[in-house]
Amino acid sequence: MPAPLVDAAACSSDPTFNFCTSLFGDLGRNIYRGPHQQNWDFSLIKSFRLTERQSVRFTTDFFNIWNHANFANPGADVEIPGSFGRIFSTVGTPRLIQFSLRYAF
């Protein structure tokens, strides 16, 4: 089924056929892509033997170690002036560091 014309009555009387265009564009699906996402996690682990049966493990976890900002997808609403294609927010979390100490006996 073809797309509806902008003005079907004017299409038949217009010699330039400017009104014979459809209401929809000819761009494909998913042609706009958002910005690249990057998230690096890193862990350091050190184990210490206290006795033959006891040990302590110290762990440090870094989430998003480089603190790289991950931007959200651009706005896709064409009805709000000035919002199409603009990025208004970020996604994900900032750098987080977690320490843990485990005693095994």
Side-chain angles (χ1 to χ4, degrees):
M1 179 173 161
L5 299 175
V6 173
D7 190 357
C11 178
S12 60
S13 63
D14 184 23
T16 62
F17 299 106
N18 287 334
F19 289 100
C20 294
T21 59
S22 69
L23 295 173
F24 303 113
D26 60 353
L27 294 177
R29 292 184 65 220
N30 302 324
I31 60 162
Y32 296 112
R33 297 180 186 259
H36 177 70
Q37 303 289 316
Q38 184 171 227
N39 190 10
W40 290 63
D41 297 337
F42 183 73
S43 293
L44 291 172
I45 300 171
K46 177 64 178 173
S47 296
F48 300 96
R49 276 265 190 231
L50 300 176
T51 64
E52 189 175 314
R53 299 182 69 197
Q54 298 177 356
S55 64
V56 173
R57 184 171 75 182
F58 179 72
T59 306
T60 305
D61 297 315
F62 298 90
F63 303 100
N64 194 9
I65 189 168
W66 309 125
N67 204 22
H68 185 269
N70 292 314
F71 297 104
N73 286 330
D77 193 358
V78 295
E79 296 176 0
I80 300 173
S83 70
F84 182 76
R86 293 183 61 197
I87 297 175
F88 294 102
S89 63
T90 58
V91 294
T93 57
R95 179 188 307 134
L96 297 173
I97 302 173
Q98 175 179 298
F99 299 105
S100 66
L101 188 64
R102 178 178 176 228
Y103 175 65
F105 55 94

